[in-house]
Every structure is written in structure tokens, then in C-alpha cells.
Amino acid sequence: MSAAVPPARCRFGRFELQPDERRLLDAGVAVAIGPRAFDLLTMLVERAGHLVTKDELLAHVWPQVIVEEAALQMQISALRKLLGRETIMTVTGCGYRFALDVAWVGTEPAALPAAPRHNLPQPLTSFIGREGQISELRALLGSARLLTLTGAGGCGKTRLAMQLAVDLTGAYPDGIWLVEFAALAEPALVPQAVAQVFGLKDQPGRNLTQTIAEHLAPQQLLLVLDNAEHVLEACAQITDAVLRASARLRVLVTSRERLGIVGEFTYRVPSLSVPAPEQVPTPAQISACESAQLFIERAQFQQPQFVVTAGNATALASICHRLDGIPLAIELAAARVRSMPVEEVGRRLDQRFDLLTGGSRTALPRHQTLRSLIDWSYDLLSSAEQALLCRASIFAGGWTLEAAAQVCTGDAVDGKDLLNLMTSLADKSLVSAKAHGGVTRYSLLETMRYYTRDRLAQRGEETALSRRHFDHVLSLAEVADDKLAGDGQRLWLDRLDAEHDNLRAALAWSCTGGGNATEGLRLAAAVGWFWRSRGHLSEGRRWLSLLINATAGGQDNPIRADALRRAGLLAMDQADYPAAQALLEEALVTYRRVGDRRGIARALYSLGLVAMEQARLSAAELLFEESMALYRALGANLGLVLSNLGQVCQQLGNHSKAQALYEEALAIQRTLGDRATIAVLTHNLGSALSLQGDYPRAQAMLKDALAIWNELASRLWLALSLEEFASLAWRQAQAARAACLWGRAARLREEIGSVRSPSAQATLDTCVAAARAAMGGQAFEAAWAEGRAKALDEVVRELLAS
């Protein structure tokens, strides 16, 4: 007969908690504690070190009972007086965390479950009401493969979808994945937005939508597509493709309009419940209403002392009813409690929304209701706040304070007041602020951006602001282009990533009647290296092609030649050698016409790369030699040309000469601090040493290069590095290790849409075939699959540690 399991108890500080006996000891002496406080303490202690939300605590301590949050705060206060103020930490807007170390004696409570797979944002406010709708939607997703939540802007589609997704975490083995379209200006970029979530990239000769569909085909997951109305057709196409490819996939969409495809189930999101118009409510009655609950919580964010009383309950009921229970409208109204009482909020709504009198609001278009509310909120701003809010709408995907200073200041907006004005708009819930890479990034709600963009046009400032926005983006891109050739490359790549939507907006404006295609071409040329480095190959080619064609027939100039050269390199990266050759030859002709000797050297060098990719080694050598002669005459950096001459020698079998050229190039490049080029040269030198059998030095060089590429997040070069490490392992008779690395490199190339040159592919095929023969087909495939399944970070860590 087994021994009885001792009851669980725990110690923290001088206290001991005995849950089974419902007893708390202080230095061995029992202390008085109420039953609610005991239940609250037990839950916090069992989850020590972790956030426990207010909703979880309320449900645990007061099951099946509706209580105000003040009751929870009172119990927390009592526990702090008993245990010490530092024992229970407040997580603002979310809940509480038990801060002391807890030692369990006997049986510990079950460990917290592992975090499910998803990319859902952590909500900063509680979810109010809609329990019945959540239950309905869960049931619908059990049968409907495509569920679209529709409704007016601000009705709560996104928040409802996010809560539903959170509730379903763990229900889908392959996770729940969110794609946000709010900042996307071009429908053509919808596949890229979806691909980015799954780490997929363009593959030459393949449709990106099909690549996504094939990737998702075997998976059982929930795909959440948010704010689809402005990219409706593109969203419908990709949704149809993925659903046809996978029988186990579910798609949840939020949009003001249904997608209109076969198999779609549409659910119109209703407003929050509102009080009956004829009712004179008590504080308890009004607090039971969803819309009032939302108003109360959001008002307390602005005014913590706010409570519902007999004196303001009627005004609050009127506000909720007249705003038709629309969550965004109610949140904007609640934000005003910071500066005025509820009764005045109600009076202002009565004055502003004269079309809504008589309780007939449901007959009006919901968009007009939201616009009226934003009109009212807008009219409460100072003239400087109004001007700044409208001008900020020119940004796409957000902005920094520095960007606002360059684009939005002047006349009504004094630069000295900019920070205070931006903070004021954030305090009023009109602008959101979020830390990003050590810098505060601001953004507008989608609906607010549309509204303020219309206001900007009414102010007669849209053309001037579009011009200033374009100039700012162009200046940023050109500074970044210069910086990407020296120190701080990762910083500037990340910065351009953060501004990608602004880059797209500026390029789009340059293609319109108000813009200038020649300047747009200048911008596209400046971000060509960014597109290459971060794998936006197809997008870069599309913009460059559009603007090159738009400026055809114009005067030759170095900017056009630069754009042609960058377009040619992007085509080469996708193994489109005919297009690359034609673009680079046109670039060379243009550089010669304008007498740009440095440009001529760059074009010759780029043509040499295309020749080398195609294994036309004699032609490549001649082009590199001609380019180097020009660079030498100009006193310019010869590092990359020497490196590529080394590659030609290496491919011709002259490894010692290749090594000498790499070492000469590396010595030059180290003095300039261009880490990306240093990594290329170090990698090439490691490859040459490997071919000569100097494996220890080869491994050291390859590790140095890998460390830099990992720092720069250069996925293309990480793939090349894994392949070279695999070759090194194969040469040292480590066939299984080589197969693992080849497998992971192959997966990475698929994800970024990269294709090897024909000669590199032929060399790899020979090595792979030999390794397969040495290991046996089954063992080789197992090792390949093992490597392919590994996380990239894990593989990199293992290589750097070896």
C-alpha cells in the first residue's frame, strides 16, 4: 500500500501558506485572513512570478458573481498590509504578479502550460462583454472554413477577432497567425504580407501566392487576416488559394465588406449592448450594460476616481445609447472624462449629433456615426493639435518624432512644441505610441488616418505635405544607402524595415500626377541595396521597372543609370540573367554618355558578376580587370573587385592565387569598416583554404563571416555560409553533418526565394550525390530532414560554438 501524499504547502519570506487547511502562518503563528483574501493569495502564489489578470482573479475569487473591480483592489490592499507592499506587484492595466520566491513542500501545483504558437498581440486592456458572440463564433469556426467578421469601422471587429483567437490558442496544432493589412497601401503586396508572417520569400519563376498555399497545405492552423477592406480582391484571391490547398486550414477575416468567395460565412459584428432608451437606470443597472462597462473602464484610465453615481447614470446611459454601442466611439468619448464630467460629455454629444436625436440612430450609416464622433473629438483640439493630427496622416505605418519635425512643423505647429503636442494627442487616445528599437514610434488608428487625411485635403495642405513626406523619405533612404557601406549596417537596415510602408507610400506618390517619376526613380535606386539584403527582390524589381519605364525617353543622368544597375542586380539575384544583362548593359551605356567613371566601373563590375554566375569565367575576368583599372585610376576601393577576381581563379582551380587575392582584398576592406564586405571576403578566404585542405583556418574564417551575417540578419548570405560549412564537413568525411547543413540551407533558400548559379548548383549536386552514396540513401535523407527541421538560430549557435 503506497504512502499518503503529504498536503502541499509553501513558504515565502517568514510566511507559510497551507492551502488544504486554508491557513496562513506568520513565523509559525496563524494569522487572521478573510476567505476572499485567502483565495486571492492562493491563486497569486500558485502563479508566482507570472501575470495573473484581473479577469482571472475575479472569476476565481467571485465565481458566478458580478462585482466591481474596486472589490479586487480592496482585497489586494489588505494582502499588502498583511504581507508587505512589495509582495504583490501591479501590472498596469492588466493584473497582478506575486513577487516573492516561493518554496513548495509536498506536491507543487501543476506547472504552467507551455506558451502556444501564435503571433497575437498582448492586449493592453480587458475585453468587455460579447460572451455570447464568442461562443457563437467558436461554434461557427468548427464548421465554417472561412469566417468573415463584417461591420462598420470602430464596431470592434478586430478586438473581437483577437479575443476569439486568444481563446482558441492551443486548439490548432500549428498555431494561430495574424496578418495585419491596415498599413498596406498596395493590394499587390498582400501576398508579401502573408509570406512575411511565415518567413517565406519570393522564388524565381513561381507565384508567391502558390508558394504560400503549398507551405500551408499540410498545416492545421487558424489564419487571421485583419483590416482587409482596402485590399479586398487581393485578400480574396489568396484566401481562396490557401483554402483550396489545405483541408485543415481555417481563415478568420475582419473587413467592412465580405470577401465574396465560395464557402465564406459572414458574421456581422453587432454593437455592444446599450440601456433601453426609456429606462431611468440605477448605477447597478447601467453597470451591467456592456457599453457602459467599456466606458467606465476606459474613463478610469483617464480619471482613476471616476465612478457611476445616481447623478451621472442617466447621462452615461444617454451617451451609450446615442453612440449606438460602437466601441471606438465610446472609447473616444470616455477619453474626455479626463477634462470634463460625464454630464458635459452628454451635452456635447447632443449638440454635435443633431441627426441622432429621437433615438433613430440605427437608421443611419455607421460610418457617418463614427465620423460625427471624430468630428466632435477633433473640434475639442487646439488649432496646433488639429494641424499636427492632420499632417501626421501623411505617414503610412507610423512615424518618429524626428520625422514629424521634418514633415509636420511650420505655421500652426511650432517645432518647440512638437513633443508636448504629440504627447497630448497620445493622451487623448488619438495617436498611439509604442517603443520600437529604442525609439518611440507613433501611429494613427486606421479610421482616424482616413478621417484626418480628408481633413488635410480640406485644409489645402495635402500636396505640400506629400512633397515634404517624399523629401523626408528620400533623404532618409539616401543617408541609409551611404551608411550601409560602413559601420552600423544592421541599425540602418532595421530602420529602413521600420519605414518600409513610408517608402512604399513615397514611391506610390511619385508615380501619381502630383509626384515626380524622376525623383521616384532616385528613391528606388537608393533603396536597392535594402531590397537585396532583406530579400524583397520581386517588390524592388517591380518599383524599379515601373519608374524606369515612366522616365524612358528623358535625359540621361547618373540616377537613371544607378536605377538600371540596381534593377540588374535584383534580376541577377533571381537568376533572371537575360534581364540582368540587358539592364546592366543599358546602365553601362548611360554611365558612359554622362561621363560617370565611377558608375562605369560599377556597371562593369556588375556585368562581371552576371558572367561569373553563368560560369562565363573568361568574360567575367576581363570585366573585373577593366573595372579594377578604373577603380585604381579613381583611387577607389578595390576590395570587392579583387575578391571576385579571386572567385574566378577559384572556379578555374587556382586556389593559391585566389587565396592571395582574398587576403589582399580583406586587408583593404578592414581599414574601411564595411562589415558586410568583410564578411564576404572572409567567407571567400575560408572557402579557398577549405579547398586547399587547411581545414582549421578555413573553419575559423567561416565562423568569423557567419558571426557578421548573423548580426546583420542577412539571410541570403547565411544560406551560403551553411552550404560552405557543409562542404567543409564533407571534405573532412563528416557526411551526416554535411547532409544536415545542406538540408537547413535548402530550406532557407526556399524561404527567401534564392537560386544558386548554375555552376554552384552543379558543384553542390556532385557533393550531395557523393555523400548520399557514402551514407546510403535512407541515412542521408534522415540527416537532411533532421537539419531541415532545425531552427536557424540553433544551427548558427552550434556552428559558432564548434
Side-chain angles (χ1 to χ4, degrees):
M1 185 173 181
S2 60
V5 177
R9 60 187 190 278
C10 68
R11 298 190 181 102
F12 46 90
R14 67 177 190 269
F15 294 95
E16 180 174 310
L17 180 68
Q18 299 175 348
D20 291 346
E21 292 82 4
R22 295 188 64 81
R23 183 166 55 188
L24 176 67
L25 304 181
D26 182 354
V29 179
V31 296
I33 182 172
R36 302 287 191 194
F38 189 90
D39 291 342
L40 186 63
L41 177 60
T42 301
M43 187 172 193
L44 288 169
V45 167
E46 288 179 350
R47 302 272 293 276
H50 297 271
L51 168 68
V52 186
T53 67
K54 297 174 185 177
D55 288 346
E56 289 175 313
L57 291 169
L58 289 168
H60 178 73
V61 180
W62 290 274
Q64 310 300 320
V65 178
I66 298 175
V67 297
E68 294 185 3
E69 190 178 310
L72 174 60
Q73 294 170 350
M74 182 178 68
Q75 297 293 340
I76 291 289
S77 178
L79 284 173
R80 283 171 172 163
K81 289 180 182 177
L82 178 62
L83 305 173
R85 295 197 58 81
E86 303 304 319
T87 57
I88 301 173
M89 307 301 292
T90 299
V91 182
T92 305
C94 299
Y96 301 92
R97 177 172 58 84
F98 194 77
L100 298 184
D101 291 333
V102 175
W104 285 91
V105 180
T107 304
E108 287 192 37
L112 293 173
R117 297 182 62 200
H118 64 74
N119 66 340
L120 301 172
Q122 178 67 39
L124 299 180
T125 55
S126 61
F127 183 72
I128 304 293
R130 300 195 187 276
E131 291 84 1
Q133 293 158 39
I134 289 286
S135 297
E136 282 184 67
L137 293 171
R138 290 186 67 144
L140 287 172
L141 268 180
S143 55
R145 298 185 57 216
L146 168 60
L147 177 59
T148 301
L149 308 187
T150 64
C155 73
K157 301 183 295 294
T158 294
R159 190 68 177 88
L160 179 59
M162 293 303 103
Q163 187 62 41
L164 175 63
V166 167
D167 287 356
L168 290 171
T169 52
Y172 295 86
D174 295 306
I176 298 177
W177 302 102
L178 169 66
V179 184
E180 296 176 295
F181 295 133
L184 210 61
E186 294 288 326
L189 297 175
V190 164
Q192 281 88 342
V194 178
Q196 186 175 7
V197 168
F198 295 101
L200 304 175
K201 299 292 182 181
D202 282 331
Q203 297 182 23
R206 300 195 65 196
N207 181 280
L208 183 55
T209 296
Q210 189 58 38
T211 298
I212 295 167
E214 290 176 4
H215 174 77
L216 297 180
Q219 302 196 39
Q220 184 177 352
L221 58 79
L222 176 63
L223 179 62
V224 184
L225 306 179
D226 189 34
N227 285 299
E229 56 270 0
H230 61 299
V231 290
L232 205 62
E233 183 174 348
C235 187
Q237 290 173 353
I238 198 165
T239 300
D240 184 73
V242 299
L243 286 173
R244 290 181 185 277
S246 174
R248 300 192 299 167
L249 184 74
R250 295 288 187 273
V251 180
L252 177 65
V253 180
T254 72
S255 174
R256 296 183 191 178
E257 183 180 353
R258 67 188 184 91
L259 299 186
I261 63 177
V262 175
E264 180 183 26
F265 193 101
T266 303
Y267 183 94
R268 184 166 185 82
V269 176
S271 298
L272 296 174
S273 62
V274 298
E278 69 279 357
Q279 182 181 0
V280 179
T282 65
Q285 289 171 329
I286 188 69
S287 297
C289 236
E290 291 176 338
S291 54
Q293 290 171 15
L294 178 63
F295 186 100
I296 293 165
E297 180 181 285
R298 302 304 192 258
Q300 287 174 342
F301 288 165
Q302 308 297 325
Q303 187 65 261
Q305 295 78 28
F306 175 78
V307 292
V308 182
T309 66
N312 64 21
T314 299
L316 177 53
S318 175
I319 290 169
C320 294
H321 180 73
R322 290 183 178 276
L323 292 180
D324 210 20
I326 297 175
L328 180 57
I330 290 170
E331 291 192 352
L332 290 169
R336 301 303 161 204
V337 171
R338 182 176 183 178
S339 58
M340 65 183 70
V342 175
E343 293 85 346
E344 186 176 350
V345 174
R347 286 195 298 273
R348 285 181 176 269
L349 282 178
D350 287 340
Q351 295 163 5
R352 188 61 185 157
F353 299 128
D354 55 341
L355 292 177
L356 305 180
T357 56
S360 60
R361 293 192 56 189
T362 54
L364 296 174
R366 292 180 181 269
H367 181 75
Q368 290 299 316
T369 299
L370 186 58
R371 175 172 289 276
S372 295
L373 176 62
I374 301 175
D375 277 341
W376 166 78
S377 184
Y378 179 87
D379 289 341
L380 289 176
L381 300 176
S382 68
S383 59
E385 287 174 329
Q386 289 179 348
L388 178 57
L389 187 64
C390 290
R391 293 175 184 181
S393 69
I394 207 68
F395 294 102
W399 67 92
T400 62
L401 196 66
E402 177 190 6
Q406 295 182 24
V407 177
C408 301
T409 55
D411 296 331
V413 181
D414 191 324
K416 294 182 302 212
D417 299 329
L418 181 61
L419 177 58
N420 288 337
L421 289 170
M422 199 68 76
T423 301
S424 177
L425 291 175
D427 286 343
K428 293 177 170 68
S429 301
L430 299 173
V431 167
S432 66
K434 184 183 298 183
H436 179 88
V439 176
T440 299
R441 257 191 104 69
Y442 300 92
S443 61
L444 289 171
L445 291 172
E446 177 204 3
T447 303
M448 181 62 75
R449 182 171 182 250
Y450 282 126
Y451 172 89
T452 49
R453 194 62 183 264
D454 287 344
R455 284 280 191 170
L456 186 67
Q458 293 169 16
R459 294 170 64 94
E461 295 182 337
E462 187 171 23
T463 299
L465 264 291
S466 295
R467 172 80 260 176
R468 293 175 71 176
H469 175 263
F470 179 87
D471 290 344
H472 162 70
V473 172
L474 176 61
S475 174
L476 174 67
E478 290 186 331
V479 170
D481 195 33
D482 288 338
K483 298 291 187 181
L484 290 174
D487 287 335
Q489 289 167 330
R490 175 65 185 267
L491 174 68
W492 284 96
L493 285 170
D494 288 347
R495 186 166 179 183
L496 289 178
D497 256 339
E499 300 295 348
H500 206 165
D501 286 320
N502 280 312
L503 290 171
R504 290 161 171 162
L507 287 166
W509 178 78
S510 74
C511 297
T512 66
N516 184 306
T518 299
E519 292 184 330
L521 190 64
R522 179 178 163 190
L523 173 58
V527 294
W529 202 92
F530 162 72
W531 281 327
R532 291 190 71 199
S533 179
R534 288 293 163 94
H536 304 292
L537 308 181
S538 294
E539 180 181 354
R541 291 186 70 184
R542 185 170 68 86
W543 283 118
L544 282 163
S545 176
L546 180 66
L547 289 160
I548 287 170
N549 292 333
T551 55
Q555 186 176 2
D556 286 333
N557 56 71
I559 292 172
R560 180 174 180 80
D562 285 344
L564 288 163
R565 182 173 58 84
R566 291 280 170 88
L569 290 171
L570 286 167
M572 180 192 72
D573 289 338
Q574 293 193 312
D576 188 353
Y577 299 124
Q581 187 77 23
L583 287 162
L584 292 170
E585 285 176 352
E586 187 179 350
L588 178 60
V589 169
T590 306
Y591 282 130
R592 282 177 169 157
R593 283 176 181 163
V594 298
D596 185 342
R597 297 178 70 201
R598 186 179 297 272
I600 293 169
R602 287 173 171 171
L604 289 167
Y605 167 77
S606 300
L607 283 165
L609 291 177
V610 174
M612 188 169 65
E613 287 268 313
Q614 296 175 285
R616 295 186 288 112
L617 301 181
S618 296
E621 187 173 20
L622 289 173
L623 287 162
F624 289 142
E625 293 282 4
E626 188 178 354
S627 173
M628 186 166 65
L630 274 172
Y631 276 127
R632 199 182 299 277
L634 292 166
N637 178 14
L638 301 176
L640 278 175
V641 184
L642 289 169
S643 173
N644 283 291
L645 278 170
Q647 284 191 278
V648 171
C649 292
Q650 186 168 318
Q651 290 187 41
L652 290 170
N654 192 342
H655 305 308
S656 60
K657 184 177 179 181
Q659 178 182 339
L661 286 167
Y662 292 149
E663 289 173 341
E664 181 183 356
L666 188 56
I668 294 171
Q669 213 63 36
R670 287 193 191 281
T671 65
L672 302 175
D674 182 349
R675 291 179 60 74
T677 305
I678 290 171
V680 172
L681 297 172
T682 307
H683 172 91
N684 289 346
L685 181 54
S687 177
L689 291 167
S690 175
L691 288 167
Q692 294 177 80
D694 191 347
Y695 301 135
R697 285 185 66 202
Q699 178 158 319
M701 289 292 173
L702 292 176
K703 284 170 65 175
D704 287 347
L706 176 61
I708 296 175
W709 285 326
N710 189 48
E711 172 196 329
L712 298 179
S714 180
R715 290 162 65 80
L716 172 61
W717 279 100
L718 284 172
L720 287 165
S721 186
L722 296 186
E723 289 167 351
E724 193 59 47
F725 271 106
S727 297
L728 179 62
W730 167 240
R731 293 183 186 113
Q732 297 178 88
Q734 300 170 1
R737 177 179 171 84
C740 281
L741 291 169
W742 279 324
R744 190 58 186 87
R747 174 182 161 192
L748 183 53
R749 281 195 179 272
E750 291 168 12
E751 290 170 351
I752 65 176
S754 171
V755 177
R756 300 178 193 85
S757 67
S759 58
Q761 186 64 53
T763 301
L764 177 63
D765 289 344
T766 300
C767 293
V768 167
R772 186 191 302 273
M775 293 178 64
Q778 187 172 355
F780 180 87
E781 292 298 337
W784 181 288
E786 178 188 347
R788 184 181 177 87
K790 280 189 174 182
L792 180 60
D793 287 347
E794 178 186 355
V795 174
V796 170
R797 281 196 304 270
E798 289 175 355
L799 289 171
L800 292 176
S802 62

